C-alpha cells in the first residue's frame, strides 16, 4: 500500500542520513550533525511527495477498488 511504501522510503532516508553523519563524525575534516539528518529528511519527504503527486496526476500505480458486498 502507498502509506507503507512511503514509510519504508522515509525510513531508508533517515537510516542512510544518520549512518552518513555517523561516518562523518570519525573524519578529522568533517563533523556529524543532526541538523544535516533533518535537512536530508526534508529533502526526502519533498521528493516522495513529488513522486506521489506526479503518480496521481499521471494515473500511474494501483487503483483503489471497492470491496464486493
Amino acid at each position: 500500500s502507498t502509506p507503507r511504501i512511503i514509510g519504508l522510503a522515509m525510513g531508508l532516508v533517515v537510516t542512510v542520513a544518520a549512518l552518513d553523519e555517523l561516518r562523518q563524525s570519525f573524519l578529522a575534516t568533517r563533523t556529524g550533525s543532526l541538523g544535516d539528518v533533518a535537512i536530508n529528511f526534508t529533502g526526502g519527504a519533498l521528493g516522495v511527495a513529488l513522486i506521489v503527486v506526479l503518480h496521481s496526476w499521471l494515473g500511474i500505480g494501483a487503483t483503489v477498488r471497492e470491496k464486493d458486498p
Side-chain angles (χ1 to χ4, degrees):
S1 70
T2 301
R4 181 171 180 250
I5 293 169
I6 291 171
L8 289 172
M10 294 313 303
L12 182 61
V13 167
V14 169
T15 300
V16 171
L19 288 173
D20 185 45
E21 293 303 315
L22 178 65
R23 179 191 61 84
Q24 288 182 27
S25 71
F26 292 107
L27 300 175
T29 59
R30 304 292 299 264
T31 57
S33 167
L34 287 178
D36 286 346
V37 173
I39 290 169
N40 289 334
F41 178 82
T42 302
L46 290 173
V48 168
L50 178 64
I51 290 170
V52 169
V53 168
L54 286 175
H55 275 216
S56 176
W57 185 61
L58 295 173
I60 299 171
T63 58
V64 177
R65 293 184 293 165
E66 292 184 24
K67 292 184 179 181
D68 293 329

